[in-house]
Amino acid sequence: MKYKSNFNVVYSCRYHVVWCPKYRRPVLVEGVDVRLKSLIVETCSKMNVDIIEMEIMPDHVHLLIEVDPQFGIHRAVKQIKGVSSRVLRQEFSWLKSRIPTLWSNSYFVSTVGGAPLAVIKRYIENQKTV
């Protein structure tokens, strides 16, 4: 197992995060999914959040990320959802007419300390085939 550190904490905090568009509408299509991936990568790099695995489905997003415990998973997810919603709704105006807000307020998060990382990565990779 590899550990990361900042000035005063040594950590390995990996999370499986899933969230959906409002009303679980399948709007992450027609280029929105590609742009969303790039926005997530860009936002995570600014926050020093490592993306281990990512999969965008038409009606939900799966992320496997490593977050500094002092930064916090809630803050990271809030930032990713906020930035992506604002930019996607500006660039794809048809999203504004389909749903009042891009993302639902809720999300699923689970630590992956108990499961082998390879198993979680495989699960996220295989979401496209389900």
Side-chain angles (χ1 to χ4, degrees):
M1 180 178 266
K2 293 182 180 178
Y3 292 98
K4 294 192 146 210
S5 66
N6 59 25
F7 293 108
N8 58 351
V9 178
V10 177
Y11 64 92
S12 176
C13 296
R14 295 181 179 129
Y15 301 94
H16 178 202
V17 183
V18 182
W19 72 87
C20 306
K22 190 80 165 179
Y23 311 124
R24 193 129 186 196
R25 296 247 170 92
V27 295
L28 305 177
V29 293
E30 300 173 18
V32 175
D33 53 345
V34 175
R35 182 66 175 128
L36 176 57
K37 275 189 179 185
S38 67
L39 285 170
I40 291 172
V41 168
E42 184 180 309
T43 305
C44 286
S45 68
K46 288 179 183 175
M47 297 183 294
N48 293 322
V49 170
D50 291 336
I51 300 171
I52 301 166
E53 193 63 46
M54 175 175 22
E55 199 61 63
I56 310 291
M57 307 300 288
D59 64 347
H60 64 282
V61 177
H62 282 274
L63 282 181
L64 182 58
I65 57 178
E66 186 163 23
V67 180
D68 183 331
Q70 291 181 317
F71 187 75
I73 185 64
H74 175 71
R75 196 165 151 200
V77 173
K78 187 176 175 181
Q79 188 83 15
I80 293 167
K81 287 172 70 175
V83 168
S84 62
S85 176
R86 183 176 41 78
V87 173
L88 289 174
R89 289 169 62 83
Q90 285 174 350
E91 293 179 5
F92 298 91
S93 59
W94 58 269
L95 286 172
K96 291 180 188 176
S97 63
R98 293 281 317 269
I99 45 182
T101 60
L102 181 57
W103 305 121
S104 68
N105 290 334
S106 58
Y107 61 92
F108 165 83
V109 64
S110 174
T111 58
V112 295
L117 197 56
V119 172
I120 305 295
K121 283 179 73 171
R122 198 172 12 195
Y123 171 77
I124 293 173
E125 288 170 357
N126 291 334
Q127 284 300 299
K128 286 276 191 200
T129 60
V130 173

